[in-house]
Amino acid sequence: MMWLRSLLLLLLLLRWWALGKPSPDAGPHGQARVHQGAPLSDAPHDDAHGNFQYDHEAFLGRDVAKEFDQLSPEESQARLGRIVDRMDLAGDNDGWVSLAELRSWIAHTQQRHIRDSVSAAWHTYDTDRDGRVGWEELRNATYGHYEPGEEFHDVENAETYRKMLARDERRFRVADQDGDSMATREELTAFLHPEEFPHMRDIVVAVSEVAEHLLPKPVLADLYSEVPGEEEPAWVQTERQQFRDFRDLNKDGKLDGSEVGYWVLPPSQDQPLVEANHLLHESDTDKDGRLSKAEILSNWNMFVGSQATNYGEDLTRHHDEL
């Protein structure tokens, strides 16, 4: 059910202690984090050995990369040429692909799954088909037809439902930037994927307010009971150290709002920019800091795949946009 989205955010935050034995190597310093940027590809970045699968999936998106793997080299290059035209047209349309245009394209392809999920949710939530999603439409589609303040008598864990409903309404009100209680597609996207929007940062952190002011000992006590005469397990010692070294940034023995915010939404690397720089560096033969269509097509096997690259997989879906 769609109402599980709110609970999922909370459970992700609480995973550190809810799972009982967190992984010591999660995150850059060993700490469990909630919203980490998804990798552009799970494939190894192994250009040195002629394996460009990472670049294909970063440039095209994973599903479309599979589609290109089924094409002949000629068709793959032809479709890449059309993509190059679109990248330039979406930018300054000067006949060249700049670093900014390349980065923008990669970011666009990586957001396709978000656009797809919002499109599916839109059909569910816009029940009166007026092109907007009202809070009442979303509430009724998610929780059923309950009036404000009405008890959830017919469901288990009614208190959990009430909290989730209140949390969703708070997030909806922040996403609804014009305050008319009607979400446009952009506003619904902010509601469903708040971690992608800077103005939603505070509400994402607010979901985590249960973690504020928690001391490490009570938290660990829920997971591990000390046994007199026995040494603490290694994972308990690791968590205690991680709290001291990486979570409790101001060293006051508790998590405040800013520390929770840093944990939930840590600063992340601009992965599309990193990949755009890589592709530009590898393809910019005249070293003028931009790419011509000819330069991209001459290095087509790095940008896109084909049957000739030996990375082919079964065709899973079609994309009219390419």
Side-chain angles (χ1 to χ4, degrees), residues 132 172-184 187:
R132 297 186 301 170
F172 184 91
R173 299 305 178 194
V174 176
D176 176 28
Q177 290 192 284
D178 58 11
D180 64 354
S181 295
M182 301 293 294
T184 62
E187 290 169 337

Side-chain angles (χ1 to χ4, degrees), residues 280-291 295:
L280 188 146
H281 174 77
E282 295 297 326
S283 306
D284 184 17
T285 54
D286 60 9
K287 305 305 177 185
D288 64 350
R290 57 185 182 177
L291 295 177
E295 286 176 320

Side-chain angles (χ1 to χ4, degrees), residues 161-179:
Y161 267 71
R162 283 193 293 272
K163 290 179 178 179
M164 290 194 303
L165 176 58
R167 189 177 298 121
D168 276 355
E169 184 170 10
R170 288 178 60 193
R171 193 164 79 243
F172 184 91
R173 299 305 178 194
V174 176
D176 176 28
Q177 290 192 284
D178 58 11

Side-chain angles (χ1 to χ4, degrees), residues 2 6 17 54 66 69 76 80 82 98 111 136 154 158 170 186 193 195 200 223 265 275-277 284 295 301-302 313:
M2 294 301 295
S6 293
W17 52 87
Y54 180 99
K66 292 179 182 179
D69 287 337
S76 181
L80 174 59
R82 295 196 289 272
S98 66
Q111 294 296 310
E136 290 188 1
D154 57 343
R170 288 178 60 193
E186 179 76 5
H193 300 277
E195 69 279 3
M200 300 293 291
L223 305 174
L265 288 174
E275 178 64 10
N277 268 306
D284 184 17
E295 286 176 320
N301 62 322
M302 173 173 278
E313 297 181 44

Side-chain angles (χ1 to χ4, degrees), residues 17 90 192 214 225 250 312 317:
W17 52 87
L192 294 174
L214 286 176
S225 299
N250 63 7
R317 61 187 291 189

